[in-house]
Amino acid sequence: MSDKYKGGQILLCAGTFGIEGGKRAGEDQVVETGVADTEVKRVVVVGGGSAGWIAACRLAAQVRRTGAGVGVTLIESRNVPTVGVGEGTWPTMRNTLAKIGIAETDFIRSCDAAFKQGARFVGWTDGTPQDGYYHPLNPPAGATEIDLAPHWLHRGEGDAAFADWVDYQAMLCDAGLGPKTIVMPEYAGHANYAYHLDAGKFATMLRDHGVGTLGIEHVLGDVLRPRMTDHGDIVHLELADGRNVAGDLFVDCTGFAARLIGGIYDVPFRRCGDVLFADRAIALQVPYDDEDAPITCHTVSTAQGSGWIWDIGLWSRRGVGHVYSSAHISDDAAEAELRRHVGTAAQGLSARRISIEAGHRTRFWQNNCVAVGLSAGFLEPLEASALMLIEASMDAIADRLPRNRAAMDVMARQFNATFTHHWMRIIEFLKLHYVLTKRTDTDFWRDNVAASSIPDGLVERLAMWRHHSPGPQDFDHAREVFSWPSYQYILHGMGFDSRQPRIDPSAPEAGLAQRFVTRMQRAKDELRTRAPRHRDLLRAIREHGLQRV
Amino acid sequence: MTGITPLSPTAHRDLRYNRHAAGAARRFARLGLSEIAVAAADMPLCLVKDGQTGRFDLVALMSLVEPANLFVVGGGFQATYVPRAVLLGGFRLDPTGAAGLAIDPADPSLGGVGEPLFDEHRPTALSGDIAPALERLVADVAAAQEMADSWARHRLIRPLPLSLSKADGGRHDLAGLYTIDEAAVQALPDAELIALHRADRLAPAAVLTASLAQVERLRQLHNARFVPAITDYSLD
């Protein structure tokens, strides 16, 4: 420890690295007067993975747009590898990229990206060969005007599955068709869409754009310790090479290490392993058989005996991984299961093992530090919420960047309340995928339906949804991360036992429902012939580019 | 298009080319860079996206809602300028065909009327001129596309929502058209503005913008032949 940190010796934290603070003597003493009026002039982002670069780019782009006069610095360690998973996004990524000022064409070319139109869950309901359903990204037809679910529930025998009856996107996925055409502008499509991407390439692209275009100050170095005010704010971070990086707001994007929110502030971590059992992942990067192989346009999540396997298609490879509960299967058996699932293509490929501690911080914003990304928490990647939470966090921070230190406390309270709610609801939504199962073939599935593992809020809502389909009134917040269409797709996809009353076929609403279904069917028929093959679309974009208008 | 076939001195010995019948069914034509000023004297010029590449093509509009070319009336093309893509619409470059050509037998310019393509079994001078003309047109269209690429790179292109009001109370919106974003041109930094001017990208852009006044001419031509009349239109 350097001399200038000697002094009070008050340990502010316990965690991955110790920070000393308290009163300091002489010229190093921090002047505390007027702290509340201190303007936010520099934001320091710590961490150079996807979270760090999304955070820094969102902030820098917003500052540029508004002329707010705030500098953005990102500290990246050469010695800390990024986790490098998190290869699925939500449609929100389109807005994020547009706000950052990245052309969709550049993104697709740089990040090996492909389009994602939802997820198909295979084997989750009863494990039979025909067991599968879609959670598409499109809402059901007419979602702002009518709830089609009760009409579907009382449809004629032999009619389509819910996702196929209320929307056309399942057809696009089944047929391997893209969500847009080459003549559509950037970030627009005939269907809602997100992306599958290479997380490492994504961080590199953001770094190049952030430093080259947005003027982010990029500091390479290892954070050693912070210097704190008496109020517990971070004044600057001392790097291993002796440099100090000062800031007014610090964004902790240090991943699982959580070096600021955990290491400095020791904000408790709320585990949820009693609800979501998965605590391990094994990932493989699987090459395509040939360069013209179809690219699946959705995430395929296939249930296993003690977890599930993701399969996502990028331009040049697939990302395949097994998420499982180590209490129910050994690592080696899980890897063997994954390799069996992939088949001969897995031969010779090295697998990467990742530990997951499911849960989140009890607070995300403490003093002048806010945790974003894995430092805030992590859940199994069942609905790809990791990158979305980073985006949502940065929307909240960048769009309402506090002007001074006093405003930061109000922001922190709001942010903590909002994101505590979001985490709780995401946990419930992920659990929903498990509690509706009829599988009893392994302990994993039997344990998942144990009443003690199901959050009270979910139990309450499931009871309510026996009598009506999920709707916007069923939730506390106007902006839920998973809104009612998502709940409908899972509930009805898994054959939830709903006892909703039959709607009279002669009632006006039945006619309205039929009109929406007919209109959707016309769109489906047209897209079946007009939409391009997914790989062809990506090839055209990589070769010719998309226009901005 | 499926009937495109190499020009053959035996199969097409009696085929003739009638330039006055060209383009009767064409609603728009791709333009080359050198055609901008002359085509703008008759037609609104705008940009459309190529269905295979998404790149912008420069086109001359020759109809609004009609399934016909509004300029082809009374057996002839009633305009001061006929786009070369219209005149040559019945031909394709094909090294395996006579005179280096293939033909679209369904094109109205090809039939039993007009100038012969063969003198006995030998291509006529007219046939010999067509392949070089097509090559010049291809190069000219490519030059126009490069100019549109340049406009796109500088974000000078905007959608052109063309909305028509009809006498029966109906409305018809034409989607997929693009034009120059004048506000974006005005907002260009000086250095970019000068560079574009030196590259001769701005004068054609101004002609494109001015040519939109010819939508009124299309409206008049429509109303002279078709019902319901177009009573008004908007170009936002």
Side-chain angles (χ1 to χ4, degrees):
Chain A
M1 177 179 291
S2 69
D3 286 341
K4 64 183 173 182
Y5 287 98
K6 290 177 180 170
Q9 297 290 326
I10 300 168
L11 191 64
L12 287 183
C13 70
T16 48
F17 71 119
I19 304 301
E20 295 169 354
K23 293 189 180 188
R24 299 163 183 90
E27 64 185 34
D28 292 319
Q29 188 161 3
V30 176
V31 177
E32 297 301 340
T33 53
V35 164
D37 297 328
T38 304
E39 276 190 75
V40 173
K41 286 291 190 186
R42 179 152 295 274
V43 182
V44 177
V45 177
V46 187
S50 300
W53 283 111
I54 289 173
C57 286
R58 271 290 278 119
L59 284 163
Q62 183 70 9
V63 165
R64 244 178 167 228
R65 196 162 28 244
T66 59
V70 177
V72 178
T73 299
L74 183 140
I75 305 174
E76 180 174 11
S77 169
R78 290 190 187 91
N79 302 313
V80 179
T82 56
V83 175
V85 292
E87 297 188 315
T89 81
W90 280 25
T92 49
M93 185 57 76
R94 288 148 61 192
N95 267 330
T96 296
L97 292 171
K99 283 178 180 172
I100 288 172
I102 290 174
E104 189 174 29
T105 301
D106 295 340
F107 164 72
I108 287 171
R109 288 172 176 165
S110 304
C111 301
D112 216 14
F115 294 109
K116 167 187 169 182
Q117 300 189 72
R120 178 164 175 80
F121 294 93
V122 178
W124 287 72
T125 306
D126 57 22
T128 57
Q130 64 274 17
D131 175 9
Y133 70 95
Y134 276 103
H135 176 191
L137 297 178
N138 273 1
T144 57
E145 296 177 55
I146 190 171
D147 177 8
L148 289 180
H151 303 273
W152 173 80
L153 282 165
H154 298 291
R155 72 205 181 282
E157 282 302 314
D159 270 357
F162 179 70
D164 219 30
W165 199 78
V166 301
D167 181 60
Y168 52 77
Q169 198 156 32
M171 178 279 296
L172 292 174
C173 293
D174 274 340
L177 301 175
K180 67 190 297 175
T181 65
I182 188 69
V183 299
M184 288 178 164
E186 294 192 328
Y187 300 120
H190 47 238
N192 196 13
Y193 67 86
Y195 306 102
H196 290 141
L197 55 82
D198 181 311
K201 291 179 179 177
F202 185 47
T204 301
M205 181 201 69
L206 291 172
R207 182 196 65 201
D208 292 347
H209 180 73
V211 174
T213 305
L214 299 176
I216 294 169
E217 183 189 16
H218 185 200
V219 176
L220 286 169
D222 294 308
V223 174
L224 208 58
R225 59 179 72 84
R227 176 148 188 208
M228 316 288 290
T229 69
D230 286 345
H231 299 287
D233 282 6
I234 302 169
V235 177
H236 65 236
L237 296 171
E238 184 188 336
L239 305 186
D241 60 11
R243 286 178 294 167
N244 294 329
V245 180
D248 306 295
L249 174 64
F250 290 80
V251 186
D252 182 353
C253 298
T254 60
F256 291 127
R259 298 197 63 181
L260 308 189
I261 201 74
I264 296 177
Y265 291 110
D266 200 21
V267 172
F269 189 81
R270 183 177 291 154
R271 291 172 179 77
C272 65
D274 56 332
V275 177
L276 299 171
F277 304 149
D279 60 353
R280 295 276 202 285
I282 300 177
L284 287 172
Q285 297 188 351
V286 183
Y288 289 110
D289 293 339
D290 71 83
E291 62 180 22
D292 197 40
I295 301 175
T296 306
C297 208
H298 54 278
T299 303
V300 182
S301 303
T302 305
Q304 304 295 307
S306 302
W308 57 277
I309 287 177
W310 79 74
D311 192 338
I312 68 163
L314 306 185
W315 168 254
S316 61
R317 65 169 171 85
R318 289 155 59 205
V320 189
H322 190 179
V323 182
Y324 57 95
S325 160
S326 64
H328 295 86
I329 190 172
S330 70
D331 293 338
D332 289 344
E335 182 170 336
E337 211 165 75
L338 174 64
R339 289 183 182 279
R340 249 194 325 275
H341 178 87
V342 173
T344 53
Q347 287 174 7
L349 299 179
S350 61
R352 185 170 175 211
R353 296 184 177 186
I354 302 157
S355 288
I356 298 168
E357 187 167 29
H360 59 88
R361 300 282 156 188
T362 54
R363 293 184 303 283
F364 312 97
W365 194 323
Q366 174 76 43
N367 289 74
N368 63 339
C369 170
V370 57
V372 172
L374 300 176
S375 57
F378 186 72
L379 301 172
E380 60 181 277
L382 186 56
E383 288 281 2
S385 52
L387 288 172
M388 177 279 297
L389 276 168
I390 295 167
E391 298 171 75
S393 299
M394 292 317 302
D395 284 345
I397 297 166
D399 293 345
R400 300 167 64 213
L401 188 65
R403 290 186 58 197
N404 58 36
R405 180 63 187 81
M408 210 179 283
D409 287 340
V410 179
M411 278 283 299
R413 277 193 294 278
Q414 292 180 354
F415 187 94
N416 287 332
T418 299
F419 281 85
T420 299
H421 173 83
H422 286 337
W423 279 93
M424 186 178 71
R425 302 311 316 284
I426 293 170
I427 291 167
E428 282 187 14
F429 185 69
L430 298 192
K431 185 66 176 179
L432 180 70
H433 296 66
Y434 291 101
V435 300
L436 299 179
T437 190
K438 298 174 181 69
R439 291 183 66 149
T440 55
D441 52 321
T442 64
D443 285 344
F444 177 78
W445 293 103
R446 287 191 291 271
D447 292 347
N448 256 302
V449 295
S452 59
S453 76
I454 307 173
D456 293 343
L458 182 57
V459 171
E460 193 174 88
R461 285 187 181 82
L462 283 171
M464 185 168 62
W465 291 330
R466 293 271 179 223
H467 307 290
H468 71 83
S469 282
Q473 304 88 345
D474 297 340
F475 301 96
D476 304 333
H477 286 202
R479 293 180 65 189
E480 293 282 349
V481 289
F482 290 104
S483 56
W484 62 270
S486 292
Y487 281 87
Q488 288 199 350
Y489 282 124
I490 306 304
L491 283 171
H492 300 312
M494 295 190 75
F496 179 64
D497 179 20
S498 178
R499 296 154 197 165
Q500 295 180 56
R502 186 182 183 84
I503 292 178
D504 181 348
S506 64
E509 192 176 285
L512 182 64
Q514 192 52 52
R515 283 197 292 280
F516 276 113
V517 170
T518 303
R519 191 185 303 169
M520 184 281 299
Q521 190 62 45
R522 274 202 301 272
K524 183 187 289 186
D525 293 342
E526 188 190 341
L527 286 171
R528 188 178 280 117
T529 56
R530 190 168 62 85
R533 190 173 158 255
H534 186 202
R535 185 179 282 280
D536 292 343
L537 172 62
L538 290 170
R539 184 181 289 115
I541 292 171
R542 294 173 73 89
E543 188 173 339
H544 304 292
L546 292 162
Q547 302 293 345
R548 292 174 195 272
V549 292
Chain B
M1 287 303 220
T2 52
I4 302 288
T5 178
L7 185 62
S8 158
T10 50
H12 304 124
R13 191 181 65 174
D14 298 325
L15 197 64
R16 290 169 176 263
Y17 169 67
N18 177 8
R19 72 189 311 272
H20 302 293
R26 293 187 67 141
R27 302 185 61 200
F28 64 89
R30 287 183 74 177
L31 287 183
L33 183 62
S34 68
E35 296 181 281
I36 290 177
V38 282
D42 292 298
M43 300 148 197
L45 311 186
C46 54
L47 300 161
V48 297
K49 285 182 181 172
D50 181 293
Q52 299 300 313
T53 67
R55 290 173 71 190
F56 288 109
D57 289 332
L58 178 63
V59 298
L61 292 188
M62 298 181 294
S63 82
L64 291 171
V65 293
E66 315 75 14
N69 187 331
L70 289 169
F71 291 98
V72 176
V73 187
F77 202 106
Q78 308 299 329
T80 59
Y81 180 73
V82 184
R84 286 202 293 270
V86 171
L87 286 174
L88 299 170
F91 300 98
R92 305 286 185 277
L93 289 167
D94 183 348
T96 68
L101 294 172
I103 59 163
D104 177 3
D107 192 89
S109 67
L110 298 174
V113 178
E115 300 175 63
L117 295 175
F118 291 98
D119 180 6
E120 293 300 327
H121 290 287
R122 283 179 293 116
T124 60
L126 167 71
S127 297
D129 289 341
I130 291 174
L134 277 172
E135 285 167 358
R136 285 194 298 274
L137 175 60
V138 168
D140 206 22
V141 164
Q145 198 171 44
E146 281 172 25
M147 181 172 65
D149 287 345
S150 169
W151 290 336
R153 277 196 303 277
H154 289 85
R155 303 186 185 203
L156 302 182
I157 296 174
R158 69 171 175 87
L160 174 66
L162 174 51
S163 184
L164 309 170
S165 302
K166 297 190 281 189
D168 63 0
R171 238 173 106 91
H172 191 98
D173 296 324
L174 276 81
L177 303 176
Y178 299 83
T179 189
I180 296 296
D181 185 339
E182 289 176 90
V185 175
Q186 294 285 342
L188 276 171
D190 289 355
E192 284 184 47
L193 200 70
I194 290 168
L196 281 166
H197 173 66
R198 297 276 186 237
D200 199 20
R201 301 307 198 209
L202 292 183
V207 174
L208 240 71
T209 302
S211 77
L212 295 180
Q214 301 290 11
V215 173
E216 172 59 19
R217 180 158 185 208
L218 293 184
R219 187 184 77 86
Q220 292 170 5
L221 289 169
H222 167 95
N223 290 351
R225 290 166 58 193
F226 295 94
V227 289
I230 295 171
T231 54
D232 199 6
Y233 64 88
S234 68
L235 294 162
D236 292 327

